[in-house]
Amino acid sequence: GNSVTQMEGPVTLSEEAFLTINCTYTATGYPSLFWYVQYPGEGLQLLLKATKADDKGSNKGFEATYRKETTSFHLEKGSVQVSDSAVYFCAPLYNFNKFYFGSGTKLNVKP
Amino acid sequence: DAGVIQSPRHEVTEMGQEVTLRCKPISGHDYLFWYRQTMMRGLELLIYFNNNVPIDDSGMPEDRFSAKMPNASFSTLKIQPSEPRDSAVYFCASSRTNTEAFFGQGTRLTVV
């Protein structure tokens, strides 16, 4: 069936470090792919998306590329800030408009 | 648009009581989702609707949970009777077909 596997956290980084959060999905069809971010006490917000193979989504310095050959959509940022501390969710959107959310990866950025 | 609106933001109730959570989706969205978030189980999809019709309720934990969407601008999630293990943050989200979902701020439910 459809599923998504996300890198376990928490991930702790120093400010200005490079970030990678891994995400892989099952290759059932060609889902649209999303990364969401959840700040403490808030709902999930869309961070970026990609709708077809080789598309690169980007927002606020974050990037992720739709890799069909490896069924991956890894989230990256070149230089994290304390304000990036949050929980990040990978979410493929399969047929019937059903989102599958990963387990979430908590990111802690220290000054 | 004001986004997805959920009420109440916080709810504290005693075990055995009925709890009703409310959601107003974004106008024009044809999908509505109810999720539950806990530390132990993460984010779980409970049920979702398309054009007010339930499509998949396989995530509803048991018969104590029910959800309705009487019209395109309103949905409820009801728990009756409530139990302490139902304590969680409940999110409502809405979307257009094949596009991103927009989440509400959530309702934090505490059952004592």
Side-chain angles (χ1 to χ4, degrees):
Chain A
N2 298 324
S3 69
V4 56
T5 302
Q6 190 174 335
M7 177 177 171
E8 288 204 18
V11 174
T12 300
L13 296 173
S14 297
E15 208 165 22
E16 299 184 3
F18 185 85
L19 168 71
T20 299
I21 300 178
N22 291 337
C23 170
T24 57
Y25 60 93
T26 54
T28 303
Y30 301 98
S32 294
L33 301 172
F34 301 84
W35 275 101
Y36 281 81
V37 59
Q38 184 179 29
Y39 299 102
E42 298 185 11
L44 280 70
Q45 305 172 24
L46 178 68
L47 180 60
L48 53 83
K49 66 180 180 181
T51 58
K52 61 183 187 296
D54 299 324
D55 267 3
K56 178 186 283 188
S58 61
N59 186 26
K60 299 181 181 179
F62 291 88
E63 294 183 340
T65 300
Y66 192 139
R67 301 288 188 197
K68 179 184 163 187
E69 63 277 10
T70 55
T71 64
S72 64
F73 192 52
H74 303 323
L75 182 68
E76 297 182 336
K77 186 174 185 181
S79 177
V80 294
Q81 306 300 312
V82 173
S83 57
D84 294 327
S85 297
V87 181
Y88 293 82
F89 293 88
C90 181
L93 175 60
Y94 289 98
N95 291 337
F96 304 108
N97 216 75
K98 189 170 183 177
F99 286 89
Y100 287 79
F101 281 89
S103 54
T105 302
K106 185 173 184 179
L107 172 65
N108 296 317
V109 181
K110 296 185 175 181
Chain B
D1 200 318
V4 176
I5 299 173
Q6 291 186 246
S7 64
R9 289 294 310 277
H10 302 274
E11 177 80 40
V12 180
T13 191
E14 292 185 348
M15 183 173 62
Q17 297 298 305
E18 176 181 301
V19 176
T20 299
L21 310 181
R22 297 172 175 79
C23 175
K24 176 177 167 55
I26 293 173
S27 177
H29 284 190
D30 52 353
Y31 282 88
L32 183 139
F33 308 83
W34 281 102
Y35 290 89
R36 178 172 68 176
Q37 187 176 40
T38 60
M39 289 291 292
M40 292 298 296
R41 301 175 69 90
L43 194 64
E44 303 173 273
L45 176 63
L46 300 177
I47 185 171
Y48 74 107
F49 296 82
N50 177 220
N51 292 324
N52 314 336
V53 176
I55 300 301
D56 184 346
D57 65 354
S58 59
M60 296 286 262
E62 47 198 275
D63 292 345
R64 297 185 297 107
F65 286 69
S66 62
K68 294 181 179 180
M69 192 166 185
N71 57 61
S73 59
F74 184 66
S75 178
T76 59
L77 178 67
K78 184 179 294 186
I79 308 172
Q80 180 185 22
S82 58
E83 297 182 3
R85 59 193 169 119
D86 302 330
S87 298
V89 180
Y90 290 81
F91 288 104
C92 176
S94 70
S95 76
R96 297 183 194 274
T97 303
N98 291 329
T99 64
E100 63 267 26
F102 292 81
F103 281 75
Q105 292 287 79
T107 295
R108 181 174 295 276
L109 173 65
T110 303
V111 183
V112 298

